[in-house]
Amino acid sequence: MNGRGLVRSVKVFGTVQGLRAVRAAWRRKRTDAWGLPPRGAERARVPGAVVGAEPLPGGGVVRFARSELRVRVAVGGSVFWGWDGAGPEPSYALAGSPPAADPRAVLEPDKDGGWRVVSERVTVVVSRHGAVEIRTPGGVVLRRDLPPRWWEPVGGGQARWLHRSEVPADARFFGLGGRSSGPRLRDGSYRLWNTDPRGGFGPGDDPLYITMPVQLVVSDAGTHLAFLDNSWDGRVTLREGEEGAGSGHDRPGTSEVRTAGGPLRCWVVVGTPARVLRGWAALTGAPALPPSWALGPQHARWGFGSDREVRRVVAGYRERGLPLSALHLDIDHYDGHRVFTVDRTRFPDLPGLAKELRADGVRLVSIVDPAVKAEPGSAVYDSGSAAGVFVRDARGREVRGVVWPGECVYPDFTDPRVREWWGGLYEERLAQGFAGVWHDMNEPVAFTPFGDMTLPRSARHALEGRGGDHREAHNVYALGMARAGYEGLRRLRPRERPFLFSRSGWAGMQRYGGTWSGDVSTGWPGLRASLSLVLGLGLCGVPYSGPDVGGFDGSPSPELYLRWFQLGAYLPLFRTHAAIDAGRREPWEFGPQVLGHAKAAMLQRERLRPYFVTLAHLARLTGAPYVRPVWWGAPDDRALRDCEDAFLLGDALLVVPVLERGTDRRAVRLPRGRWYDTVTGEAYDGPGQVLLDAPMSRIPVLARAGAVIPVRGEDGGTELEVWAPAAGRTGGGLVVEDPGNGAEGDVPAQPELERYASRLVDGRVVVERVTEDGAAKVSRPVRVRGLA
């Protein structure tokens, strides 16, 4: 949801709200003109030639004529480097203190006057002019960061800089947060500035709500992740390489990053994709574990209007035998759109409604926006103003912007004191019966007819006591809000696992919850963009996400809605949602045929709920996303790197969604190994391309031979679905149980992982539980599939 209602028609700007937005935009320009003086003349600088070095644990400091470079290899193999005295802290991305230095990694002289640090998993080579190479232990170059350039204001102030990198000619780029044109990032320019796109978006629209300076690079030489830890506005220009024909030279792939200020520092993690994401989670924090009910079907709409409509929708699900885990209330349930209030006319007894729905297995989830109506007499505004929690300008005045409630102020979530105050406000949401929250409009948004819909760049922020302005705080604003909400919910209900997801965020946001697509446009391009976002965010360490099924705006055709619904059933967050003027999106609104097929998808999702619970726990333990690109286990397969219209769900399932109108067959390239169509049982051997049936009733889903998948049995318990291994091969799988509804007190800190192995013996599939003491008898029901 965003300000499209204020910006896409002249008529709206004739309203009081529109006039306020125009006035606020001009006020913002005046504020920045006063608070951000011109940069003036600048001085260009490069590091110069090396002049010496100082060994330190895990690496050391290499000094150049006009700068210095700190290099450190950490335990686990991650590499940090920072220029001009930049260290790993302070950082909003890191989870606690940086990892300890590897005591076995030592800085030593290299050829041609350079230096190097050799460790078990990676070698770092620094040239005599400041280039930094990341190499495999065998000496193969994964990444070469060229000497940086700075432009410093002569009169003092933040330096802007240019950072250029080279990767192998065959490399492919992924990541950079939520990008609708991904997951593979083609040649082009990508902005690093969290942005409300002012309306529905599709492939090619950039930037969007979540931008991260996180690149995942896959090549024949290996996989690595590079994170430039800087939250300032920036721009990344990518250019894929080209291999020389015959005896011609290769042209390396290049990445060029320009930022308007802040430190120049980087973390690099190398290894297989699984090892890279594990190392990234170790740096930035384990993903928050959603309650088990949050892995079921969810329904939202902007414009339920009243408790009667909510009851009607929930009853519609139940009458048709459709599962439903949660229902989300948008801003229309607030009193005048004011956060932490309730419209008592439309919802006279919200706690009673929540209790009634919960007895039927349905939780209520509340939207929460950061903007607080600047209204003296309002409890939230008065308490916040008295405590001085709102963002101020360079003259000390509260910064104001126009959002849904009218003229609003904004909490400064870069201040620990403010985060604690804000987290305490969620007590009101819990008292109303809500079981979770979704954060919206937190880029943050301030309606305006022109320019970025956000706060003045000169607005002042605490930045954990360091002080600074919105140029540095903007991209981490939503991250701070998510932290405030998550920690508040933990304090208020310590025995319950918080459920929180956020439209905007930054590196490390997975510590506090997940995200969703935002206002993806209704249309086939929007459907494709939905998958791109989920895959790309997973590779940036955010495993729990999903789109607005059906798109946010407009009216999807029955075919489009069904294909979107079928895709959503295999994504972590499975939620339908629509704008206030987009009509109803319940499955039965699209006719009996769509309803029947949608019900089948929902029931299959419920059948796979134990598998999703297992994937959620594995994501927390290992950082591996639920939804993975098809090259996840075979990054050396170049053809798989270019596959963007299918995905792996965990290690066991290959999902092939329908992304184009009128399609009833899908071509897909299989990873190596045998794969079974889960409906027909037909077996296919990869690597290679196959053509699969994709009737309206389903999308193709293939199971890996040998996979042991936890599924829900007819009695509601967990049973094992085992797909026959190929001759001479073995397989296996994991199961993690999540008792109850995910209450923190019911879940052990280290959940028990049940490991299973499968093998083919004399034409019979044998399944055993693997324990520390060896193989054990399987106590769960087992159903074997894939045998002729």
Side-chain angles (χ1 to χ4, degrees), residues 179-180 182-183 517 520 525-537 545 547 564 567 571 627-628 643-647 655-657 659 666:
R179 305 287 169 169
S180 61
S517 64
V520 61
L527 171 59
R528 184 175 289 273
S530 296
L531 178 56
S532 298
L533 288 164
V534 174
L535 281 166
L537 287 164
S545 68
W564 215 317
L567 168 63
L571 300 180
V627 170
R628 307 165 188 178
C643 178
E644 301 176 291
D645 56 1
F647 61 91
V655 183
V656 189
L659 304 176
R666 267 297 320 270

PDB file of all heavy atoms in Angstrom, residues 179-180 182-183 517 520 525-537 545 547 564 567 571 627-628 643-647 655-657 659 666:
ATOM      1  N   ARG A 179      14.753  -7.289  -5.914  1.00  0.00           N
ATOM      2  CA  ARG A 179      14.816  -6.748  -7.276  1.00  0.00           C
ATOM      3  C   ARG A 179      13.824  -7.495  -8.158  1.00  0.00           C
ATOM      4  O   ARG A 179      13.888  -8.723  -8.298  1.00  0.00           O
ATOM      5  CB  ARG A 179      16.228  -6.883  -7.857  1.00  0.00           C
ATOM      6  CG  ARG A 179      17.307  -6.260  -6.987  1.00  0.00           C
ATOM      7  CD  ARG A 179      17.272  -4.742  -7.022  1.00  0.00           C
ATOM      8  NE  ARG A 179      18.140  -4.164  -5.995  1.00  0.00           N
ATOM      9  CZ  ARG A 179      18.458  -2.874  -5.927  1.00  0.00           C
ATOM     10  NH1 ARG A 179      17.966  -2.034  -6.816  1.00  0.00           N
ATOM     11  NH2 ARG A 179      19.233  -2.431  -4.967  1.00  0.00           N
ATOM     12  N   SER A 180      12.911  -6.751  -8.767  1.00  0.00           N
ATOM     13  CA  SER A 180      11.841  -7.380  -9.541  1.00  0.00           C
ATOM     14  C   SER A 180      12.325  -7.963 -10.853  1.00  0.00           C
ATOM     15  O   SER A 180      11.621  -8.758 -11.478  1.00  0.00           O
ATOM     16  CB  SER A 180      10.739  -6.356  -9.820  1.00  0.00           C
ATOM     17  OG  SER A 180      11.244  -5.263 -10.572  1.00  0.00           O
ATOM     18  N   GLY A 182      15.106  -9.770 -11.206  1.00  0.00           N
ATOM     19  CA  GLY A 182      16.024 -10.864 -10.945  1.00  0.00           C
ATOM     20  C   GLY A 182      15.378 -12.221 -11.195  1.00  0.00           C
ATOM     21  O   GLY A 182      14.385 -12.304 -11.925  1.00  0.00           O
ATOM     22  N   PRO A 183      15.906 -13.261 -10.542  1.00  0.00           N
ATOM     23  CA  PRO A 183      16.975 -13.165  -9.550  1.00  0.00           C
ATOM     24  C   PRO A 183      18.360 -12.919 -10.141  1.00  0.00           C
ATOM     25  O   PRO A 183      19.204 -12.341  -9.481  1.00  0.00           O
ATOM     26  CB  PRO A 183      16.920 -14.512  -8.843  1.00  0.00           C
ATOM     27  CG  PRO A 183      16.352 -15.450  -9.867  1.00  0.00           C
ATOM     28  CD  PRO A 183      15.365 -14.633 -10.649  1.00  0.00           C
ATOM     29  N   SER A 517       6.153  -8.921  -0.866  1.00  0.00           N
ATOM     30  CA  SER A 517       6.519  -8.253  -2.113  1.00  0.00           C
ATOM     31  C   SER A 517       6.176  -6.777  -2.139  1.00  0.00           C
ATOM     32  O   SER A 517       6.707  -6.032  -2.956  1.00  0.00           O
ATOM     33  CB  SER A 517       5.807  -8.939  -3.284  1.00  0.00           C
ATOM     34  OG  SER A 517       4.392  -8.790  -3.157  1.00  0.00           O
ATOM     35  N   VAL A 520       3.000  -5.342  -5.664  1.00  0.00           N
ATOM     36  CA  VAL A 520       3.301  -5.879  -6.988  1.00  0.00           C
ATOM     37  C   VAL A 520       2.072  -5.735  -7.879  1.00  0.00           C
ATOM     38  O   VAL A 520       0.932  -5.967  -7.458  1.00  0.00           O
ATOM     39  CB  VAL A 520       3.756  -7.346  -6.872  1.00  0.00           C
ATOM     40  CG1 VAL A 520       2.689  -8.224  -6.264  1.00  0.00           C
ATOM     41  CG2 VAL A 520       4.197  -7.878  -8.220  1.00  0.00           C
ATOM     42  N   PRO A 525       3.395 -10.041 -15.805  1.00  0.00           N
ATOM     43  CA  PRO A 525       4.734  -9.578 -15.385  1.00  0.00           C
ATOM     44  C   PRO A 525       4.876  -9.504 -13.867  1.00  0.00           C
ATOM     45  O   PRO A 525       5.936  -9.798 -13.320  1.00  0.00           O
ATOM     46  CB  PRO A 525       4.843  -8.197 -16.044  1.00  0.00           C
ATOM     47  CG  PRO A 525       3.913  -8.260 -17.210  1.00  0.00           C
ATOM     48  CD  PRO A 525       2.762  -9.101 -16.748  1.00  0.00           C
ATOM     49  N   GLY A 526       3.815  -9.083 -13.168  1.00  0.00           N
ATOM     50  CA  GLY A 526       3.870  -9.035 -11.715  1.00  0.00           C
ATOM     51  C   GLY A 526       4.014 -10.414 -11.102  1.00  0.00           C
ATOM     52  O   GLY A 526       4.694 -10.585 -10.078  1.00  0.00           O
ATOM     53  N   LEU A 527       3.388 -11.410 -11.707  1.00  0.00           N
ATOM     54  CA  LEU A 527       3.537 -12.784 -11.240  1.00  0.00           C
ATOM     55  C   LEU A 527       4.993 -13.218 -11.336  1.00  0.00           C
ATOM     56  O   LEU A 527       5.556 -13.801 -10.404  1.00  0.00           O
ATOM     57  CB  LEU A 527       2.642 -13.706 -12.063  1.00  0.00           C
ATOM     58  CG  LEU A 527       2.811 -15.216 -11.854  1.00  0.00           C
ATOM     59  CD1 LEU A 527       2.563 -15.605 -10.408  1.00  0.00           C
ATOM     60  CD2 LEU A 527       1.878 -15.987 -12.784  1.00  0.00           C
ATOM     61  N   ARG A 528       5.630 -12.924 -12.453  1.00  0.00           N
ATOM     62  CA  ARG A 528       7.042 -13.284 -12.629  1.00  0.00           C
ATOM     63  C   ARG A 528       7.920 -12.527 -11.633  1.00  0.00           C
ATOM     64  O   ARG A 528       8.862 -13.087 -11.069  1.00  0.00           O
ATOM     65  CB  ARG A 528       7.474 -13.002 -14.072  1.00  0.00           C
ATOM     66  CG  ARG A 528       8.900 -13.422 -14.383  1.00  0.00           C
ATOM     67  CD  ARG A 528       9.205 -13.219 -15.855  1.00  0.00           C
ATOM     68  NE  ARG A 528       8.501 -14.183 -16.689  1.00  0.00           N
ATOM     69  CZ  ARG A 528       8.964 -15.382 -16.995  1.00  0.00           C
ATOM     70  NH1 ARG A 528      10.132 -15.782 -16.517  1.00  0.00           N
ATOM     71  NH2 ARG A 528       8.279 -16.183 -17.789  1.00  0.00           N
ATOM     72  N   ALA A 529       7.609 -11.247 -11.424  1.00  0.00           N
ATOM     73  CA  ALA A 529       8.386 -10.456 -10.472  1.00  0.00           C
ATOM     74  C   ALA A 529       8.280 -11.022  -9.058  1.00  0.00           C
ATOM     75  O   ALA A 529       9.229 -10.951  -8.276  1.00  0.00           O
ATOM     76  CB  ALA A 529       7.923  -9.003 -10.498  1.00  0.00           C
ATOM     77  N   SER A 530       7.123 -11.590  -8.724  1.00  0.00           N
ATOM     78  CA  SER A 530       6.934 -12.168  -7.386  1.00  0.00           C
ATOM     79  C   SER A 530       7.958 -13.249  -7.102  1.00  0.00           C
ATOM     80  O   SER A 530       8.556 -13.299  -6.014  1.00  0.00           O
ATOM     81  CB  SER A 530       5.526 -12.754  -7.265  1.00  0.00           C
ATOM     82  OG  SER A 530       4.537 -11.758  -7.378  1.00  0.00           O
ATOM     83  N   LEU A 531       8.177 -14.133  -8.060  1.00  0.00           N
ATOM     84  CA  LEU A 531       9.149 -15.199  -7.873  1.00  0.00           C
ATOM     85  C   LEU A 531      10.565 -14.634  -7.801  1.00  0.00           C
ATOM     86  O   LEU A 531      11.387 -15.076  -6.987  1.00  0.00           O
ATOM     87  CB  LEU A 531       9.038 -16.214  -9.006  1.00  0.00           C
ATOM     88  CG  LEU A 531      10.041 -17.378  -8.975  1.00  0.00           C
ATOM     89  CD1 LEU A 531       9.966 -18.138  -7.662  1.00  0.00           C
ATOM     90  CD2 LEU A 531       9.811 -18.313 -10.158  1.00  0.00           C
ATOM     91  N   SER A 532      10.865 -13.630  -8.625  1.00  0.00           N
ATOM     92  CA  SER A 532      12.190 -13.017  -8.609  1.00  0.00           C
ATOM     93  C   SER A 532      12.520 -12.453  -7.236  1.00  0.00           C
ATOM     94  O   SER A 532      13.636 -12.606  -6.727  1.00  0.00           O
ATOM     95  CB  SER A 532      12.267 -11.904  -9.663  1.00  0.00           C
ATOM     96  OG  SER A 532      12.073 -12.405 -10.959  1.00  0.00           O
ATOM     97  N   LEU A 533      11.544 -11.773  -6.627  1.00  0.00           N
ATOM     98  CA  LEU A 533      11.772 -11.163  -5.322  1.00  0.00           C
ATOM     99  C   LEU A 533      12.061 -12.211  -4.261  1.00  0.00           C
ATOM    100  O   LEU A 533      12.992 -12.062  -3.456  1.00  0.00           O
ATOM    101  CB  LEU A 533      10.557 -10.328  -4.925  1.00  0.00           C
ATOM    102  CG  LEU A 533      10.374  -9.023  -5.700  1.00  0.00           C
ATOM    103  CD1 LEU A 533       8.962  -8.486  -5.515  1.00  0.00           C
ATOM    104  CD2 LEU A 533      11.386  -7.992  -5.212  1.00  0.00           C
ATOM    105  N   VAL A 534      11.278 -13.280  -4.223  1.00  0.00           N
ATOM    106  CA  VAL A 534      11.466 -14.294  -3.188  1.00  0.00           C
ATOM    107  C   VAL A 534      12.832 -14.965  -3.342  1.00  0.00           C
ATOM    108  O   VAL A 534      13.562 -15.166  -2.355  1.00  0.00           O
ATOM    109  CB  VAL A 534      10.337 -15.333  -3.247  1.00  0.00           C
ATOM    110  CG1 VAL A 534      10.596 -16.474  -2.266  1.00  0.00           C
ATOM    111  CG2 VAL A 534       8.998 -14.680  -2.926  1.00  0.00           C
ATOM    112  N   LEU A 535      13.207 -15.317  -4.569  1.00  0.00           N
ATOM    113  CA  LEU A 535      14.502 -15.955  -4.797  1.00  0.00           C
ATOM    114  C   LEU A 535      15.658 -15.013  -4.443  1.00  0.00           C
ATOM    115  O   LEU A 535      16.614 -15.412  -3.769  1.00  0.00           O
ATOM    116  CB  LEU A 535      14.615 -16.391  -6.256  1.00  0.00           C
ATOM    117  CG  LEU A 535      13.894 -17.688  -6.634  1.00  0.00           C
ATOM    118  CD1 LEU A 535      13.794 -17.825  -8.140  1.00  0.00           C
ATOM    119  CD2 LEU A 535      14.610 -18.892  -6.037  1.00  0.00           C
ATOM    120  N   GLY A 536      15.569 -13.758  -4.891  1.00  0.00           N
ATOM    121  CA  GLY A 536      16.650 -12.812  -4.629  1.00  0.00           C
ATOM    122  C   GLY A 536      16.819 -12.507  -3.156  1.00  0.00           C
ATOM    123  O   GLY A 536      17.944 -12.438  -2.640  1.00  0.00           O
ATOM    124  N   LEU A 537      15.710 -12.321  -2.436  1.00  0.00           N
ATOM    125  CA  LEU A 537      15.792 -12.038  -1.010  1.00  0.00           C
ATOM    126  C   LEU A 537      16.350 -13.228  -0.243  1.00  0.00           C
ATOM    127  O   LEU A 537      17.107 -13.058   0.722  1.00  0.00           O
ATOM    128  CB  LEU A 537      14.409 -11.659  -0.476  1.00  0.00           C
ATOM    129  CG  LEU A 537      13.926 -10.264  -0.889  1.00  0.00           C
ATOM    130  CD1 LEU A 537      12.427 -10.125  -0.663  1.00  0.00           C
ATOM    131  CD2 LEU A 537      14.678  -9.192  -0.103  1.00  0.00           C
ATOM    132  N   SER A 545       9.454 -14.993   2.927  1.00  0.00           N
ATOM    133  CA  SER A 545       8.839 -13.919   2.154  1.00  0.00           C
ATOM    134  C   SER A 545       7.820 -14.521   1.206  1.00  0.00           C
ATOM    135  O   SER A 545       7.746 -15.740   1.031  1.00  0.00           O
ATOM    136  CB  SER A 545       9.882 -13.116   1.362  1.00  0.00           C
ATOM    137  OG  SER A 545      10.462 -13.900   0.329  1.00  0.00           O
ATOM    138  N   PRO A 547       4.592 -13.055  -2.039  1.00  0.00           N
ATOM    139  CA  PRO A 547       3.927 -11.937  -2.709  1.00  0.00           C
ATOM    140  C   PRO A 547       2.494 -11.749  -2.234  1.00  0.00           C
ATOM    141  O   PRO A 547       1.949 -12.566  -1.482  1.00  0.00           O
ATOM    142  CB  PRO A 547       3.938 -12.367  -4.175  1.00  0.00           C
ATOM    143  CG  PRO A 547       3.735 -13.864  -4.082  1.00  0.00           C
ATOM    144  CD  PRO A 547       4.465 -14.307  -2.826  1.00  0.00           C
ATOM    145  N   TRP A 564      -1.180 -17.671  -9.890  1.00  0.00           N
ATOM    146  CA  TRP A 564      -0.507 -16.980  -8.794  1.00  0.00           C
ATOM    147  C   TRP A 564      -0.740 -17.753  -7.491  1.00  0.00           C
ATOM    148  O   TRP A 564       0.171 -17.899  -6.665  1.00  0.00           O
ATOM    149  CB  TRP A 564      -1.058 -15.556  -8.670  1.00  0.00           C
ATOM    150  CG  TRP A 564      -0.059 -14.527  -8.263  1.00  0.00           C
ATOM    151  CD1 TRP A 564       0.895 -14.629  -7.310  1.00  0.00           C
ATOM    152  CD2 TRP A 564       0.091 -13.222  -8.821  1.00  0.00           C
ATOM    153  NE1 TRP A 564       1.619 -13.476  -7.206  1.00  0.00           N
ATOM    154  CE2 TRP A 564       1.149 -12.590  -8.128  1.00  0.00           C
ATOM    155  CE3 TRP A 564      -0.576 -12.505  -9.807  1.00  0.00           C
ATOM    156  CZ2 TRP A 564       1.546 -11.279  -8.395  1.00  0.00           C
ATOM    157  CZ3 TRP A 564      -0.182 -11.208 -10.079  1.00  0.00           C
ATOM    158  CH2 TRP A 564       0.871 -10.600  -9.390  1.00  0.00           C
ATOM    159  N   LEU A 567       1.464 -20.815  -7.380  1.00  0.00           N
ATOM    160  CA  LEU A 567       2.834 -20.466  -7.018  1.00  0.00           C
ATOM    161  C   LEU A 567       2.931 -20.163  -5.524  1.00  0.00           C
ATOM    162  O   LEU A 567       3.817 -20.665  -4.820  1.00  0.00           O
ATOM    163  CB  LEU A 567       3.301 -19.256  -7.830  1.00  0.00           C
ATOM    164  CG  LEU A 567       4.606 -18.590  -7.360  1.00  0.00           C
ATOM    165  CD1 LEU A 567       5.782 -19.551  -7.481  1.00  0.00           C
ATOM    166  CD2 LEU A 567       4.873 -17.306  -8.138  1.00  0.00           C
ATOM    167  N   LEU A 571       5.464 -21.068  -1.616  1.00  0.00           N
ATOM    168  CA  LEU A 571       6.363 -20.039  -1.103  1.00  0.00           C
ATOM    169  C   LEU A 571       6.193 -19.917   0.405  1.00  0.00           C
ATOM    170  O   LEU A 571       5.138 -20.255   0.955  1.00  0.00           O
ATOM    171  CB  LEU A 571       6.080 -18.702  -1.789  1.00  0.00           C
ATOM    172  CG  LEU A 571       6.262 -18.685  -3.306  1.00  0.00           C
ATOM    173  CD1 LEU A 571       5.959 -17.304  -3.876  1.00  0.00           C
ATOM    174  CD2 LEU A 571       7.671 -19.128  -3.707  1.00  0.00           C
ATOM    175  N   VAL A 627      13.201 -21.368  -0.307  1.00  0.00           N
ATOM    176  CA  VAL A 627      13.118 -21.324  -1.767  1.00  0.00           C
ATOM    177  C   VAL A 627      14.509 -21.037  -2.324  1.00  0.00           C
ATOM    178  O   VAL A 627      15.116 -20.013  -2.002  1.00  0.00           O
ATOM    179  CB  VAL A 627      12.109 -20.261  -2.219  1.00  0.00           C
ATOM    180  CG1 VAL A 627      12.183 -20.036  -3.715  1.00  0.00           C
ATOM    181  CG2 VAL A 627      10.696 -20.667  -1.801  1.00  0.00           C
ATOM    182  N   ARG A 628      15.003 -21.930  -3.174  1.00  0.00           N
ATOM    183  CA  ARG A 628      16.383 -21.849  -3.653  1.00  0.00           C
ATOM    184  C   ARG A 628      16.417 -21.913  -5.174  1.00  0.00           C
ATOM    185  O   ARG A 628      15.598 -22.592  -5.793  1.00  0.00           O
ATOM    186  CB  ARG A 628      17.194 -23.027  -3.074  1.00  0.00           C
ATOM    187  CG  ARG A 628      17.080 -23.132  -1.566  1.00  0.00           C
ATOM    188  CD  ARG A 628      17.551 -24.467  -1.038  1.00  0.00           C
ATOM    189  NE  ARG A 628      17.258 -24.589   0.393  1.00  0.00           N
ATOM    190  CZ  ARG A 628      17.526 -25.660   1.126  1.00  0.00           C
ATOM    191  NH1 ARG A 628      18.095 -26.727   0.556  1.00  0.00           N
ATOM    192  NH2 ARG A 628      17.221 -25.681   2.404  1.00  0.00           N
ATOM    193  N   CYS A 643      18.467 -20.318 -15.247  1.00  0.00           N
ATOM    194  CA  CYS A 643      17.075 -20.749 -15.068  1.00  0.00           C
ATOM    195  C   CYS A 643      16.423 -19.887 -13.988  1.00  0.00           C
ATOM    196  O   CYS A 643      16.828 -19.924 -12.822  1.00  0.00           O
ATOM    197  CB  CYS A 643      17.030 -22.217 -14.678  1.00  0.00           C
ATOM    198  SG  CYS A 643      15.356 -22.830 -14.380  1.00  0.00           S
ATOM    199  N   GLU A 644      15.397 -19.120 -14.364  1.00  0.00           N
ATOM    200  CA  GLU A 644      14.754 -18.190 -13.441  1.00  0.00           C
ATOM    201  C   GLU A 644      13.265 -18.441 -13.276  1.00  0.00           C
ATOM    202  O   GLU A 644      12.598 -17.709 -12.544  1.00  0.00           O
ATOM    203  CB  GLU A 644      14.965 -16.751 -13.937  1.00  0.00           C
ATOM    204  CG  GLU A 644      16.416 -16.355 -14.057  1.00  0.00           C
ATOM    205  CD  GLU A 644      16.589 -14.969 -14.647  1.00  0.00           C
ATOM    206  OE1 GLU A 644      16.304 -14.788 -15.851  1.00  0.00           O
ATOM    207  OE2 GLU A 644      16.991 -14.071 -13.898  1.00  0.00           O
ATOM    208  N   ASP A 645      12.733 -19.458 -13.929  1.00  0.00           N
ATOM    209  CA  ASP A 645      11.293 -19.697 -13.887  1.00  0.00           C
ATOM    210  C   ASP A 645      10.936 -20.998 -13.184  1.00  0.00           C
ATOM    211  O   ASP A 645       9.851 -21.556 -13.365  1.00  0.00           O
ATOM    212  CB  ASP A 645      10.706 -19.695 -15.296  1.00  0.00           C
ATOM    213  CG  ASP A 645      11.372 -20.699 -16.222  1.00  0.00           C
ATOM    214  OD1 ASP A 645      12.282 -21.427 -15.763  1.00  0.00           O
ATOM    215  OD2 ASP A 645      11.002 -20.756 -17.411  1.00  0.00           O
ATOM    216  N   ALA A 646      11.852 -21.520 -12.365  1.00  0.00           N
ATOM    217  CA  ALA A 646      11.604 -22.687 -11.529  1.00  0.00           C
ATOM    218  C   ALA A 646      12.464 -22.534 -10.288  1.00  0.00           C
ATOM    219  O   ALA A 646      13.384 -21.709 -10.241  1.00  0.00           O
ATOM    220  CB  ALA A 646      11.932 -23.980 -12.276  1.00  0.00           C
ATOM    221  N   PHE A 647      12.178 -23.353  -9.269  1.00  0.00           N
ATOM    222  CA  PHE A 647      12.953 -23.223  -8.034  1.00  0.00           C
ATOM    223  C   PHE A 647      12.892 -24.513  -7.245  1.00  0.00           C
ATOM    224  O   PHE A 647      11.998 -25.354  -7.446  1.00  0.00           O
ATOM    225  CB  PHE A 647      12.455 -22.059  -7.181  1.00  0.00           C
ATOM    226  CG  PHE A 647      11.014 -22.177  -6.731  1.00  0.00           C
ATOM    227  CD1 PHE A 647      10.684 -22.779  -5.526  1.00  0.00           C
ATOM    228  CD2 PHE A 647       9.992 -21.660  -7.500  1.00  0.00           C
ATOM    229  CE1 PHE A 647       9.366 -22.882  -5.107  1.00  0.00           C
ATOM    230  CE2 PHE A 647       8.662 -21.748  -7.099  1.00  0.00           C
ATOM    231  CZ  PHE A 647       8.346 -22.372  -5.888  1.00  0.00           C
ATOM    232  N   VAL A 655       9.910 -27.087  -8.045  1.00  0.00           N
ATOM    233  CA  VAL A 655       8.612 -26.495  -8.372  1.00  0.00           C
ATOM    234  C   VAL A 655       8.740 -25.733  -9.679  1.00  0.00           C
ATOM    235  O   VAL A 655       9.660 -24.919  -9.853  1.00  0.00           O
ATOM    236  CB  VAL A 655       8.126 -25.575  -7.248  1.00  0.00           C
ATOM    237  CG1 VAL A 655       6.748 -25.013  -7.562  1.00  0.00           C
ATOM    238  CG2 VAL A 655       8.104 -26.324  -5.913  1.00  0.00           C
ATOM    239  N   VAL A 656       7.795 -25.969 -10.590  1.00  0.00           N
ATOM    240  CA  VAL A 656       7.845 -25.372 -11.930  1.00  0.00           C
ATOM    241  C   VAL A 656       6.556 -24.581 -12.148  1.00  0.00           C
ATOM    242  O   VAL A 656       5.577 -25.107 -12.697  1.00  0.00           O
ATOM    243  CB  VAL A 656       8.012 -26.464 -13.010  1.00  0.00           C
ATOM    244  CG1 VAL A 656       8.285 -25.811 -14.371  1.00  0.00           C
ATOM    245  CG2 VAL A 656       9.124 -27.439 -12.640  1.00  0.00           C
ATOM    246  N   PRO A 657       6.490 -23.335 -11.716  1.00  0.00           N
ATOM    247  CA  PRO A 657       5.248 -22.566 -11.829  1.00  0.00           C
ATOM    248  C   PRO A 657       4.953 -22.160 -13.271  1.00  0.00           C
ATOM    249  O   PRO A 657       5.849 -22.118 -14.126  1.00  0.00           O
ATOM    250  CB  PRO A 657       5.513 -21.337 -10.957  1.00  0.00           C
ATOM    251  CG  PRO A 657       7.000 -21.164 -11.019  1.00  0.00           C
ATOM    252  CD  PRO A 657       7.569 -22.548 -11.094  1.00  0.00           C
ATOM    253  N   LEU A 659       4.034 -19.150 -15.550  1.00  0.00           N
ATOM    254  CA  LEU A 659       4.208 -17.704 -15.462  1.00  0.00           C
ATOM    255  C   LEU A 659       3.725 -16.962 -16.699  1.00  0.00           C
ATOM    256  O   LEU A 659       3.901 -15.753 -16.799  1.00  0.00           O
ATOM    257  CB  LEU A 659       5.687 -17.373 -15.217  1.00  0.00           C
ATOM    258  CG  LEU A 659       6.328 -18.037 -13.990  1.00  0.00           C
ATOM    259  CD1 LEU A 659       7.801 -17.698 -13.914  1.00  0.00           C
ATOM    260  CD2 LEU A 659       5.622 -17.619 -12.709  1.00  0.00           C
ATOM    261  N   ARG A 666       5.196 -27.016 -19.550  1.00  0.00           N
ATOM    262  CA  ARG A 666       6.338 -26.241 -19.110  1.00  0.00           C
ATOM    263  C   ARG A 666       7.629 -26.992 -19.385  1.00  0.00           C
ATOM    264  O   ARG A 666       7.791 -28.151 -18.998  1.00  0.00           O
ATOM    265  CB  ARG A 666       6.249 -25.975 -17.599  1.00  0.00           C
ATOM    266  CG  ARG A 666       5.572 -24.673 -17.177  1.00  0.00           C
ATOM    267  CD  ARG A 666       6.307 -23.413 -17.658  1.00  0.00           C
ATOM    268  NE  ARG A 666       7.734 -23.538 -17.556  1.00  0.00           N
ATOM    269  CZ  ARG A 666       8.430 -23.196 -16.476  1.00  0.00           C
ATOM    270  NH1 ARG A 666       7.811 -22.731 -15.413  1.00  0.00           N
ATOM    271  NH2 ARG A 666       9.753 -23.321 -16.467  1.00  0.00           N
TER     272      ARG A 666
END
